[in-house]
Amino acid sequence: MNREYKFEYLFENVKEDGRSIVSQIWTLDEIEKNEVTYDKSCLIARRQFTGCTDVNSVEIFDGDYMLDSHSGCWGEVKFYKGAFVVEFDNEIQDLYDWTCECVIGNIYENPELLEYR
């Protein structure tokens, strides 16, 4: 199986009326061919595509929050010991066990979710 390597770049835009996060996704091929340009001064994160999608066909990136609809628990997608996992309630589970669940946000655009942990 050959998975597509993608990276999401998150940029912060600060304006008089507040702060906003802007996202741009590029493939590894686009990056290697120098087909990307961005303002490096406002880059806040680079996130890697896990190769998986959730129950709603949303691409899952490291740093995403996922909700277990059965238990109501949610966890953060991380790269840990060579694999993508979901960490929740001090437990680590393989990401593939969570692909039937849904992404509810990410650590950069939804930091308020950390308050509910």
Side-chain angles (χ1 to χ4, degrees):
M1 183 168 106
N2 218 1
R3 79 174 176 94
E4 184 173 30
Y5 291 91
K6 295 184 200 178
F7 297 88
E8 178 181 43
Y9 284 65
L10 294 168
F11 305 94
E12 180 178 38
N13 285 340
V14 179
K15 298 179 181 176
E16 288 181 24
D17 59 343
R19 168 185 179 254
S20 66
I21 304 290
V22 178
S23 165
Q24 178 65 48
I25 297 174
W26 289 296
T27 65
L28 185 57
D29 288 340
E30 290 171 326
I31 294 169
E32 287 177 344
K33 291 177 184 173
N34 252 353
E35 295 176 357
V36 300
T37 57
Y38 62 91
D39 179 3
K40 293 176 178 64
S41 65
C42 66
L43 177 67
I44 59 172
R46 279 182 299 273
R47 302 180 336 126
Q48 185 175 357
F49 176 50
T50 64
C52 298
T53 57
D54 73 359
V55 68
N56 298 316
S57 299
V58 173
E59 293 179 335
I60 303 171
F61 287 81
D62 63 339
D64 278 340
Y65 295 127
M66 298 195 69
L67 177 66
D68 179 338
S69 58
H70 303 292
S71 69
C73 293
W74 58 273
E76 181 183 338
V77 176
K78 295 183 174 188
F79 190 73
Y80 178 74
K81 293 188 178 182
F84 287 104
V85 299
V86 177
E87 180 181 17
F88 73 101
D89 292 338
N90 296 320
E91 219 179 291
I92 292 178
Q93 291 187 356
D94 191 283
L95 173 63
Y96 296 104
D97 296 337
W98 283 68
T99 55
C100 60
E101 306 301 341
C102 66
V103 172
I104 58 171
N106 67 60
I107 62 176
Y108 302 100
E109 295 174 292
N110 310 97
E112 69 279 1
L113 288 174
L114 287 176
E115 296 172 18
Y116 300 105
R117 280 203 110 160

